[in-house]
Amino acid sequence: MPNILLVGNGAREHAMAEAIARSARHPRLFSFMKANNPGIASLSEKIRLGGYADLAAITGFAREQKIDFAVIGPEDPLNHGVVDALAQIGIPAVGPNQSLARLETSKAFTRHLLDKYNIPGNPRFQVFTSPEGMKDFLNALDAVVLKPDGLTGGKGVLVQGDHFATKDEALALCEQILKDSGSVIVEEKFDGEEFSLQCLCDGKTVAGTPLVQDHKRRFDGDQGPNTGGMGSYSLPDHSLPFLKPSDIEEGLDITRRVAAALLAETGNPYKGVMYGGFIATKNGARLLEYNARFGDPEAMNILPLLKTDFVDVCRHIIDGTLDRLEIAFDAKATVCRYVVPKGYGLPADHVDAAAKARIEVGDVGDARLYYSSVDKRDDGLYLSASRAVGIVGIADTLAAARRIAEAGVRAVKGPVAYRADIGTDALIQKRIDHMKKIRNE
Ligand code: GLY
């Protein structure tokens, strides 16, 4: 009966809490959250509310509850060094220490790591800490992507053609990012289709999980601003129909080599999730970025399918024995749709209008419901400014999973919105056609 600490309060962590709660090891779950997620709270023996920078509060709670190991959901506490703080009091964790979490928290660190260890997958890139040479490099690339070197909640990346049009605009934006954050990464823009490859890693062994495609844009048809992710789907064969087997192999190979490089570079094994945001291009898989945690929403696609006991998975990650565990997933399709406040992703005044409104969650039928940013008060459930509820359909076919998710999202009433095209045949066909075109097939 292990005592497990979960840190995090989103829908991703709700899915993690559910995976822990259904373990045959009868764990007792204790959750540290920055806001009270009613789904996680209902699965927890005890909760504690607090900020993720408050390491003393997290370690204090862990000590009090005699925690055997911790599982860290979001990037914020990893960035603050929660794994190091827990290690100091003898509590191991699923999640990298602060230095290893640079895989996500410093895009420049990861780009340089791949270069230093001759790992394929990087675009042409340069990291600038002054404007010197910036204009020449921008002009040397066909189209560019600009990134600040830190956590941006998935919304800080600026892409030519989406967020700006010309190299002059790119230069002005680079200067602004430099001023705001001290450095800017300029990268070559890839043409292709994105896929999420979430791998489990114990420091030596890297195990892939079913592939998922996330949808960052706010509106149907991939229109509107980028968001934290509006929803995602996965297929029963655990692949995606626009990928070649070699794309997946390359993504796995890059991740295995990065895990080895992290060990060589820092002397510490990476224990946790290495979530590669890859893009399939005409020349194979390329790395957009790594995250040091499960994806949100992608965790909601894969964790409900996990047949292996999640507590065993965690134990083997911590013990460095993942090679001795068979990790299996149900051969089912999943469709996750996020229900968000109507103004989500739009300028703050739109968000404020919808936020703090009350919502009613009716019967979601066969769908799974994962709470995200909602505020549970005595008189009901209220929206915050962010994604509210993740609704997941799981079935033998994508069409059936989609129908379940569709019925589920309709049960959430209030000033809310969702993307109706996620997991539809038309959108997936668009991805397939795009890849055929760029591969000249
Ligand atoms: N799915 C995007 C993220 O988790 O960052």
Side-chain angles (χ1 to χ4, degrees):
M1 271 240 283
N3 287 357
I4 300 177
L5 171 68
L6 176 66
V7 179
N9 62 282
R12 165 185 47 212
E13 289 77 27
H14 188 179
M16 292 164 79
E18 186 188 77
I20 292 169
R22 69 168 191 266
S23 165
R25 311 287 164 228
H26 304 294
R28 301 169 70 214
L29 181 63
F30 298 86
S31 300
F32 189 97
M33 303 189 270
K34 109 182 150 187
N36 189 0
N37 179 316
I40 299 174
S42 71
L43 297 167
S44 303
E45 200 108 337
K46 201 166 194 174
I47 65 162
R48 177 73 43 90
L49 299 180
Y52 297 142
D54 192 349
L55 300 182
I58 299 173
T59 52
F61 183 53
R63 212 186 244 129
E64 239 170 75
Q65 305 307 329
K66 301 190 173 18
I67 293 298
D68 293 294
F69 66 85
V71 187
I72 315 300
E75 62 276 25
D76 238 30
L78 296 172
N79 190 30
H80 289 300
V82 70
V83 172
D84 312 67
L86 287 164
Q88 271 169 22
I89 58 165
I91 297 177
V94 176
N97 68 22
Q98 196 177 34
S99 168
L100 289 162
R102 283 180 294 165
L103 186 67
E104 172 167 3
T105 61
S106 170
K107 314 267 176 257
F109 168 80
T110 300
R111 289 293 182 219
H112 287 312
L113 188 80
L114 265 75
D115 261 11
K116 180 173 171 184
Y117 290 86
N118 292 318
I119 301 170
N122 261 348
R124 290 175 67 195
F125 79 98
Q126 273 192 31
V127 181
F128 293 95
T129 50
S130 81
E132 206 181 317
M134 218 152 59
K135 188 171 179 187
D136 288 346
F137 189 64
L138 285 168
N139 287 330
L141 300 176
D142 284 342
V144 296
V145 176
L146 315 176
K147 300 177 175 177
D149 188 23
L151 293 178
T152 59
K155 295 162 210 155
V157 176
L158 299 175
V159 180
Q160 189 165 1
D162 292 345
H163 303 100
F164 59 93
T166 65
K167 292 290 172 55
D168 283 344
E169 288 172 71
L171 186 60
L173 287 167
C174 281
E175 282 163 358
Q176 189 58 49
I177 298 171
L178 255 186
K179 213 160 101 193
D180 293 344
S181 63
S183 68
V184 58
I185 304 158
V186 178
E187 298 183 354
E188 156 196 16
K189 178 185 169 184
F190 291 124
D191 187 12
E193 286 295 333
E194 295 184 21
F195 62 100
S196 301
L197 173 56
Q198 301 169 92
C199 291
L200 305 164
C201 181
D202 66 358
K204 301 189 300 280
T205 300
V206 169
T209 69
L211 294 171
V212 182
Q213 190 173 43
D214 184 19
H215 298 71
K216 295 240 164 47
R217 297 302 197 93
R218 169 67 174 77
F219 298 114
D220 282 25
D222 294 327
Q223 301 298 307
N226 272 347
T227 67
M230 290 296 294
S232 45
Y233 68 92
S234 71
L235 295 175
D237 66 358
H238 299 162
S239 182
L240 293 165
F242 51 83
L243 294 180
K244 291 182 167 176
S246 57
D247 294 323
I248 306 164
E249 267 318 306
E250 284 166 16
L252 274 170
D253 177 62
I254 291 169
T255 305
R256 290 195 173 112
R257 291 166 74 168
V258 168
L262 285 168
L263 181 58
E265 190 67 11
T266 68
N268 285 310
Y270 186 105
K271 292 177 186 287
V273 180
M274 297 173 72
Y275 153 18
F278 287 98
I279 182 165
T281 72
K282 66 176 180 197
N283 299 315
R286 297 288 182 270
L287 177 70
L288 295 175
E289 63 178 14
Y290 273 110
N291 294 310
R293 49 169 174 84
F294 283 120
D296 187 353
E298 295 96 322
M300 289 182 274
N301 298 93
I302 65 158
L303 288 175
L305 300 185
L306 182 63
K307 290 204 281 192
T308 311
D309 195 306
F310 185 56
V311 170
D312 291 349
V313 173
C314 294
R315 269 270 168 239
H316 282 263
I317 288 174
I318 287 166
D319 295 344
T321 53
L322 260 190
D323 57 335
R324 292 188 220 151
L325 187 70
E326 196 200 335
I327 302 172
F329 293 87
D330 280 325
K332 294 206 183 274
T334 66
V335 173
C336 173
R337 289 188 182 166
Y338 251 123
V339 178
V340 302
K342 269 205 169 121
Y344 174 65
L346 304 177
D349 49 340
H350 286 86
V351 181
D352 291 345
K356 303 197 172 70
R358 201 166 123 181
I359 55 170
E360 302 290 338
V361 180
D363 180 5
V364 296
D366 290 334
R368 311 265 182 124
L369 181 152
Y370 299 104
Y371 289 106
S372 186
S373 294
V374 286
D375 181 12
K376 189 170 185 323
R377 302 185 200 157
D378 290 344
D379 63 340
L381 212 52
Y382 285 78
L383 292 171
S384 78
S386 197
R387 297 175 293 182
V389 188
I391 302 283
V392 184
I394 301 173
D396 290 333
T397 65
L398 185 70
R402 188 173 64 228
R403 279 194 293 273
I404 294 169
E406 181 66 39
V409 291
R410 285 176 194 277
V412 184
K413 306 283 186 208
V416 292
Y418 63 91
R419 266 185 71 164
D421 63 345
I422 293 169
T424 56
D425 296 339
L427 194 63
I428 294 173
Q429 192 58 47
K430 208 171 113 188
R431 315 279 189 227
I432 296 170
D433 294 344
H434 180 209
M435 284 315 296
K436 278 193 175 150
K437 189 166 161 222
I438 65 175
R439 287 181 184 130
N440 286 323
E441 285 169 352

